Amino acid sequence: MLGKTAGGLTWLFRYMERCENLARLVETGQRIALTRPDRAESEWAGVLKTAWAKPGFDAHNDAVTGEAAVDWLLRSPDNPSSVLSCVENARMNARLVRTALTREVWEAVNECWMTLRRELQRKVAPRDLPRVLGVIRQRSAFVRGSLTGTMLRNDIYNFARLGTFLERADATARLLDVKYYVLLPSAAGVGSTLDNAQWEMILRSVSAEGAFRMIHGRTRRPAAIARFLILDGRQPRGLSFCYSKIGSNLNHLERDYGARLPSHDMADAMCGDLERATIEDIFDTGLHEFLQDFLKRNAELGSQIERDYRFFA
């Protein structure tokens, strides 16, 4: 496969996953802000920091408000990482790799682009926000479903899945990090009613509330929730699950091309570290420190994959 095709596939699905993750982040920010209306500005500032969108937002806005933050994250033409920008970049990459995609995948991407352009052509009213966020998640899911339902399980599929899970792991780690170190007022709040409510909202933001209840019952202990989202390999938006898939897809590429590359060793090291970790060790070391290290290594792996597979251009 040409290196530019591999890159186009990876970034097509990174951008599609990012659309959904931004919608989930906005929904989480809205819910958490509603629990503390007196601190809504700081809540939205935290959401912008999580999305790495705060410097750009500050350059174009005088103050942080919920309305301005939502508009910046969803549709602002000045934000290259907005949902609207991401879906346009996804479609552009899909056009570049059109011959590698099935008709169903291409149509799902194109319909997603057309639908979101229509939904985001003007500012989203607060009453419409839940519906629009649902549309973004639904359209992203249609693209993902068309991939898994129609694509041959070859190198094309593996590069697409690498993009999905690299982006998803990044998003889940950021959600956890912004919860514990930006949204919580102080260390004294750990274990409080507010703290527990915010942890539950994090579960809801990754559609994991029902799955968590199935395993843990009605408990909402932060350590149990963090363990579920970091170390439980059954949770499809959890860090351990994402890395099991990244490792699997890289192993398939190793067999396809007959070459083991540095990115394979990096992914195996990440998988091993997650398998050996305990939530007690993570909390003792510091959840923030663990997540920051994870985000750094995840970004380095993504860059290494791009360098490695230029070899096949």
Side-chain angles (χ1 to χ4, degrees):
M1 179 186 293
L2 291 174
K4 66 179 182 180
T5 303
L9 286 162
T10 302
W11 277 102
L12 160 58
F13 283 92
R14 286 202 77 152
Y15 281 125
M16 287 308 310
E17 185 71 21
R18 193 172 297 178
C19 286
E20 180 172 352
N21 292 334
L22 281 168
R24 291 176 179 277
L25 183 61
V26 169
E27 184 178 38
T28 302
Q30 183 188 42
R31 286 174 173 169
I32 292 179
L34 288 173
T35 67
R36 295 165 61 200
D38 57 321
R39 294 179 57 89
E41 181 177 321
S42 67
E43 313 303 351
W44 284 111
V47 169
L48 289 166
K49 288 178 183 178
T50 304
W52 280 17
K54 188 69 161 58
F57 178 89
D58 289 342
H60 291 85
N61 296 272
D62 296 328
V64 177
T65 65
E67 181 182 357
V70 168
D71 193 63
W72 182 259
L73 292 171
L74 293 186
R75 58 174 296 278
S76 174
D78 297 317
N79 179 11
S81 296
S82 68
V83 168
L84 195 54
S85 295
C86 286
V87 76
E88 288 174 349
N89 285 329
R91 184 176 183 270
M92 180 181 68
N93 278 281
R95 290 181 66 185
L96 290 173
V97 299
R98 175 67 184 87
T99 56
L101 303 174
T102 61
R103 177 175 56 83
E104 288 85 354
V105 174
W106 162 251
E107 289 178 352
V109 173
N110 201 44
E111 288 171 9
C112 178
W113 173 73
M114 290 189 294
T115 299
L116 297 192
R117 281 189 70 193
R118 183 173 63 251
E119 293 287 352
L120 299 175
Q121 62 183 326
R122 59 179 60 87
K123 282 188 177 182
V124 180
R127 68 177 181 277
D128 293 330
L129 184 58
R131 181 188 62 79
V132 171
L133 296 177
V135 170
I136 295 169
R137 293 196 306 272
Q138 183 185 63
R139 284 294 166 182
S140 298
F142 285 168
V143 175
R144 189 166 57 249
S146 66
L147 174 78
T148 58
T150 68
M151 292 290 289
L152 187 68
R153 268 40 174 185
N154 58 3
D155 53 351
I156 294 172
Y157 180 81
N158 287 310
F159 282 116
R161 296 294 275 176
L162 283 172
T164 295
F165 289 110
L166 284 167
E167 192 67 31
R168 185 178 296 179
D170 181 271
T172 297
R174 290 185 187 283
L175 273 171
L176 284 167
D177 198 37
V178 76
K179 156 63 192 85
Y180 213 70
Y181 283 87
V182 178
L183 297 181
L184 193 62
S186 70
V190 175
S192 66
T193 301
L194 173 61
D195 182 44
N196 293 334
Q198 290 180 348
W199 276 106
E200 184 166 342
M201 288 175 190
I202 295 298
L203 278 176
R204 293 178 67 182
S205 73
V206 294
S207 301
E209 186 181 23
F212 181 84
R213 187 184 303 114
M214 186 181 300
I215 295 171
H216 296 280
R218 304 188 69 85
T219 182
R220 290 294 185 269
R221 290 180 294 108
I225 295 173
R227 182 188 297 110
F228 186 62
L229 295 180
I230 295 172
L231 302 177
D232 195 319
R234 299 166 295 179
Q235 210 302 95
R237 292 191 172 272
L239 305 188
S240 183
F241 181 93
C242 289
Y243 261 83
S244 71
K245 296 302 181 182
I246 289 169
S248 175
N249 291 130
L250 284 171
N251 287 339
H252 286 306
L253 289 172
E254 180 183 354
R255 289 193 292 272
D256 287 344
Y257 293 120
R260 185 170 180 83
L261 302 170
S263 56
H264 301 163
D265 294 329
M266 292 172 66
D268 284 351
M270 289 280 280
C271 289
D273 289 346
L274 287 168
E275 288 174 1
R276 290 187 294 272
T278 67
I279 201 63
E280 291 77 17
D281 289 341
I282 291 172
F283 271 55
D284 287 344
T285 302
L287 181 60
H288 174 66
E289 289 74 16
F290 170 84
L291 292 169
Q292 286 296 305
D293 180 66
F294 177 90
L295 287 165
K296 177 183 176 183
R297 294 173 69 185
N298 189 63
E300 289 172 348
L301 176 60
S303 298
Q304 188 62 51
I305 289 171
E306 291 185 358
R307 288 193 294 270
D308 285 350
Y309 284 96
R310 289 177 186 172
F311 171 80
F312 296 104

